[in-house]
């Protein structure tokens, strides 16, 4: 992860979409970050993508530097390996998340991991096109591998991620409640079953 600091024009830098895996802070928490940076400077550099100046980690620190009028320092991702795993490795240790919340993070990283898996598979297809004649099965394998990879990376179990992936599609409000730490996966599943159960049929009138 080591990288030398780089100099860039630090005004109006874009945020890379992968940075949205973790939420922005606001209110008193953001104000405290601004005050700390104003007093002590930026202690942890902001990370930029390997090919441009899009921020992949440090949006909150960047915004706080702008608010405090403090010039930030930057490092650039080396560009090899998984960008998704790199961003997760920078963030997961900073946050105290429950296993249920980690499952939600796992769901939100799945599209990135699946896309990376497709890119790797695409490279293999160029070499072994005659051996891969069922693309739907390939896609299924990529999705399954991504789910297992997400569970391993974020530190929760695969079933939790599968459950919350389904929850995100069927009951996004419950998914949000788990992500925000207001419910556990088990509680959300029970509530989903309760609210989605069909109404009992009315008895015929005599």
């Amino acid at each position: 992860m080591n990288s030398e600091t780089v100099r860039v024009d630090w005004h109006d830098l874009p945020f890379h979409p992968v940075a949205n895996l973790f939420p922005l802070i606001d209110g008193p928490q953001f104000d405290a970050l601004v005050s700390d940076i104003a007093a002590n400077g930026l202690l942890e550099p902001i990370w930029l993508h390997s090919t441009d100046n899009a921020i992949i980690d440090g949006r909150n620190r960047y915004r706080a530097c702008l608010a405090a009028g403090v010039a930030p320092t930057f490092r650039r991702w080396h560009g090899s390996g998984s960008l998704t795993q790199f961003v997760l490795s920078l963030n997961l240790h900073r946050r105290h998340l429950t296993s249920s919340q980690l499952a939600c993070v796992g769901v939100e990283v799945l599209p990135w991991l699946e896309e990376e898996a497709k890119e790797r598979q695409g490279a293999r297809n160029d070499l072994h096109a005659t051996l891969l004649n069922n693309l739907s099965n390939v896609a299924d394998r990529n999705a399954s591998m991504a789910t297992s990879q997400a569970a391993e990376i974020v530190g929760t179990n695969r079933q939790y991620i599968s459950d919350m992936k389904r929850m995100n599609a069927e009951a996004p409000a419950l998914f949000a409640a788990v992500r925000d730490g207001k419910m556990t996966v088990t509680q959300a599943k029970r509530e989903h079953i309760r609210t989605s159960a069909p109404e009992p049929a009315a008895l015929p009138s005599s």
Side-chain angles (χ1 to χ4, degrees):
M1 189 180 296
N2 292 333
S3 176
E4 294 183 358
T5 57
V6 296
R7 291 182 177 273
V8 300
D9 181 359
W10 57 278
H11 296 89
D12 199 28
L13 294 180
F15 297 158
H16 192 282
V18 76
N20 295 328
L21 290 172
F22 292 89
L24 290 170
I25 62 174
D26 54 19
Q29 188 177 8
F30 180 70
D31 294 340
L33 180 60
V34 173
S35 297
D36 182 70
I37 288 177
N40 303 305
L42 180 64
L43 302 180
E44 185 173 356
I46 294 160
W47 285 89
L48 304 176
H49 195 270
S50 59
T51 59
D52 56 32
N53 289 334
I55 293 173
I56 61 173
D57 175 73
R59 294 171 306 157
N60 292 312
R61 301 193 300 281
Y62 175 71
R63 292 166 56 234
C65 283
L66 292 177
V70 173
T73 53
F74 298 94
R75 288 181 178 175
R76 193 175 296 283
W77 175 53
H78 47 64
S80 62
S82 166
L83 173 61
T84 306
Q85 291 189 47
F86 178 75
V87 172
L88 286 172
S89 71
L90 291 173
N91 280 274
L92 287 176
H93 74 280
R94 300 175 185 152
R95 301 167 187 259
H96 302 287
L97 303 177
T98 66
S99 185
S100 293
Q101 288 176 296
L102 289 172
C104 293
V105 173
V107 170
E108 292 173 334
V109 305
L110 279 176
W112 292 96
L113 295 176
E114 289 170 1
E115 183 60 32
E116 290 174 353
K118 287 177 184 177
E119 291 175 359
R120 291 192 299 270
Q121 187 66 55
R124 288 195 291 272
N125 283 347
D126 292 340
L127 297 174
H128 305 291
T130 58
L131 300 178
L132 299 173
N133 55 13
N134 191 333
L135 294 181
S136 62
N137 285 343
V138 170
D140 289 343
R141 287 199 300 273
N142 284 342
S144 178
M145 290 173 61
T147 301
S148 298
Q149 186 181 15
E152 181 178 355
I153 293 170
V154 303
T156 190
N157 69 72
R158 186 180 186 277
Q159 187 60 50
Y160 267 18
I161 293 181
S162 296
D163 290 341
M164 294 315 297
K165 182 178 181 181
R166 187 179 306 110
M167 187 75 67
N168 194 30
E170 298 176 0
L174 290 176
F175 177 89
V178 176
R179 183 191 57 207
D180 295 341
K182 298 175 181 177
M183 302 179 77
T184 66
V185 171
T186 301
Q187 290 170 335
K189 288 172 63 178
R190 288 174 181 167
E191 180 65 12
H192 184 44
I193 292 172
R194 185 186 70 81
T195 55
S196 60
E199 293 290 334
L203 296 175
S205 57
S206 55

